[in-house]
Amino acid sequence: MDSLKSVREKVPNALHLYSDFILKNQSSVTQIESALRSLTYIIPGRFRDAELASESLHSSIQLLSLYHDTLLSRALSKLPGMPRQNAHNRYTKYWVKGNRMYRRIAMLLSMIQYTELLWEMMAKRKGEKIRWRVVVFLEFIKAVCKLLLLRITKGRPLVTPPLPERDIIPEESLTETEEMPPWLDTDDTAAMREEEKLRKNREGKEYKLKRTGLTLPNLPNPSDITNYLLSKVLVADDIKAPISLLNPLTLPSQYAEYMHILQPVIYAIALSHYRKNPKSWKPWAIGLSIEYAARQLRSENYRTTPLEKEQWNKRGWAMGWWALRGAFYENVTKGFLHRTSNRLPSFIGGVVEDYLWLWDEYYFSTSQD
């Protein structure tokens, strides 16, 4: 019992130390995450011999990054001067902080999206029938989550991703918030810290004239004047309430949103039905028709906000994945890509072949989230 109690006492301390490490080394942690994520993509033979282990590593990195995003978001909210944020982060943070149900459902949806390919790989080892049951089940769960998010946001269109993206915390903000041990925090050290802080501010923001001794603000880079001025200008979305960044959908657009949410489920069911004939055009035609009809039903008018346009543009670009899915891939794209990979250098061709094998074998490798 004593050992169990000691373990329980050490766990919160370990988590606190880990969160402090992440906050103080944000840039390094981000680089390590990116390097590990890239490594899982370029390892030769990633998908043939060790696809399950490699995808497990990739999913673990994604989930760990999700936890890091949560830590950094909490730290950013405690800073005295909030940096300028994009419309997506402002909108999602409003719902994450203000609605517990939205936060939980969005977290569940993100976790499923990060691990869905891993679940499919595990299910395929049990047979094709089990694999397609898992695929349909995961698409159904994602659709339910999206419908719940649509209801929680009172009919506003879904955003991708549903959680805020990672913000960059200024390094000077982190150093200023670091606590000094009590035995070193004397009046002299406090005065020295304040003097050092003022000196850094003067060096970073002011320029001292040699003849008059006057100081001038630090000038921007001459080649980047436009971006410097734009960074100082507030636009309409910067002063809007976060909930106003997306308007509730009107009736035709509501149908379009429902079709967009249910399309992956219908497509997965159709593929499951025609799994013995992967070259059949029926599932591909059904899925693409629903997605195209959803785009046609969407009504764009004066009430359409920039954030909504951005989300629909993302969905438009995501339709390019249909060239790597279903019958179009089996009958058209597959042969062309395999012929092209044979003409590439050995290392690059090997990586491309690994991806082609992934697209050949797994549904979620080209799915639309």
Side-chain angles (χ1 to χ4, degrees):
M1 292 297 294
D2 294 337
S3 60
L4 182 60
K5 185 177 180 180
S6 62
V7 170
R8 289 180 178 177
E9 292 176 353
K10 291 180 180 179
V11 169
N13 294 332
L15 291 176
H16 181 69
L17 292 174
Y18 181 75
S19 62
D20 286 344
F21 173 79
I22 296 300
L23 295 178
K24 295 176 182 178
N25 301 274
Q26 177 192 358
S27 58
S28 300
V29 170
T30 302
Q31 292 176 2
I32 293 173
E33 289 175 355
S34 179
L36 291 175
R37 196 178 293 113
S38 301
L39 185 63
T40 60
Y41 284 127
I42 64 175
I43 293 176
R46 169 182 184 259
F47 303 116
R48 285 197 174 91
D49 300 328
E51 72 275 12
L52 193 60
S54 183
E55 190 60 34
S56 299
L57 175 61
H58 182 75
S59 299
S60 301
I61 295 171
Q62 294 288 79
L63 294 176
L64 188 61
S65 299
L66 189 63
Y67 176 65
H68 292 168
D69 292 343
T70 304
L71 294 178
L72 294 172
S73 178
R74 292 174 184 172
L76 189 66
S77 62
K78 297 178 181 179
L79 295 180
M82 290 293 290
R84 186 174 178 179
Q85 298 178 335
N86 57 38
H88 173 270
N89 277 12
R90 289 185 61 215
Y91 177 79
T92 50
K93 283 184 178 181
Y94 170 82
W95 288 106
V96 167
K97 293 180 180 179
N99 193 297
R100 182 181 301 176
M101 187 61 65
Y102 179 95
R103 181 173 66 252
R104 291 178 177 177
I105 295 175
M107 185 69 69
L108 174 62
L109 178 60
S110 298
M111 293 174 65
I112 293 175
Q113 291 171 346
Y114 289 153
T115 59
E116 58 191 6
L117 182 56
L118 177 61
W119 288 113
E120 184 183 0
M121 288 180 175
M122 295 172 63
K124 189 173 182 179
R125 299 196 171 191
K126 302 292 184 180
E128 285 294 318
K129 189 175 182 180
I130 300 298
R131 171 205 169 195
W132 281 108
R133 285 182 179 178
V134 170
V135 168
V136 173
F137 176 74
L138 291 177
E139 289 289 10
F140 177 76
I141 294 297
K142 290 197 298 182
V144 171
C145 291
K146 292 177 181 179
L147 290 172
L148 290 175
L149 293 179
L150 188 65
R151 182 176 180 83
I152 291 172
T153 57
K154 300 178 181 179
R156 290 175 172 81
L158 301 176
V159 294
T160 304
L163 292 173
E165 297 175 330
R166 180 173 298 185
D167 289 311
I168 303 299
I169 301 179
E171 293 184 1
E172 59 270 15
S173 299
L174 293 176
T175 56
E176 290 173 6
T177 56
E178 291 180 4
E179 295 182 358
M180 182 169 289
W183 56 87
L184 295 178
D185 193 10
T186 62
D187 294 338
D188 293 337
T189 55
M192 291 174 60
R193 290 201 310 273
E194 187 66 25
E195 183 179 352
E196 181 68 15
K197 179 180 176 182
L198 293 175
R199 185 183 65 81
K200 288 183 178 180
N201 289 338
R202 286 197 301 269
E203 291 179 354
K205 298 181 180 179
E206 298 177 349
Y207 176 76
K208 187 175 182 180
L209 299 176
K210 295 181 180 180
R211 185 171 62 86
T212 61
L214 300 176
T215 57
L216 291 177
N218 193 21
L219 297 177
N221 189 347
S223 62
D224 200 26
I225 295 294
T226 302
N227 291 333
Y228 174 79
L229 294 176
L230 289 176
S231 65
K232 304 297 181 182
V233 175
L234 292 177
V235 296
D237 285 348
D238 292 330
I239 59 177
K240 278 185 178 179
I243 197 174
S244 302
L245 295 174
L246 282 179
N247 294 320
L249 296 170
T250 55
L251 193 57
S253 296
Q254 286 182 0
Y255 293 149
E257 197 70 15
Y258 288 135
M259 293 174 68
H260 174 75
I261 293 173
L262 297 176
Q263 174 268 321
V265 183
I266 298 173
Y267 178 63
I269 293 174
L271 281 178
S272 176
H273 182 72
Y274 289 94
R275 62 180 180 271
K276 295 182 179 179
N277 184 18
K279 293 188 176 182
S280 174
W281 285 93
K282 290 183 180 179
W284 188 86
I286 291 172
L288 184 60
S289 299
I290 296 174
E291 189 66 28
Y292 181 76
R295 294 192 65 85
Q296 294 301 312
L297 279 176
R298 175 211 172 203
S299 59
E300 184 174 355
N301 49 38
Y302 68 94
R303 298 181 69 252
T304 304
T305 63
L307 181 57
E308 184 178 350
K309 292 180 181 178
E310 177 187 339
Q311 294 301 314
W312 276 101
N313 288 337
K314 285 184 179 180
R315 296 178 186 181
W317 284 105
M319 289 187 69
W321 283 107
W322 285 100
L324 300 174
R325 309 182 75 187
F328 193 92
Y329 175 75
E330 293 290 339
N331 297 313
V332 180
T333 318
K334 183 177 179 179
F336 171 76
L337 292 177
H338 277 282
R339 289 192 300 269
T340 303
S341 66
N342 294 331
R343 301 174 184 174
L344 296 174
S346 58
F347 177 75
I348 300 176
V351 175
V352 173
E353 283 290 336
D354 290 338
Y355 273 98
L356 293 178
W357 184 83
L358 179 71
W359 296 337
D360 291 345
E361 298 294 327
Y362 296 106
Y363 164 85
F364 282 119
S365 60
T366 57
S367 66
Q368 295 171 280
D369 289 328

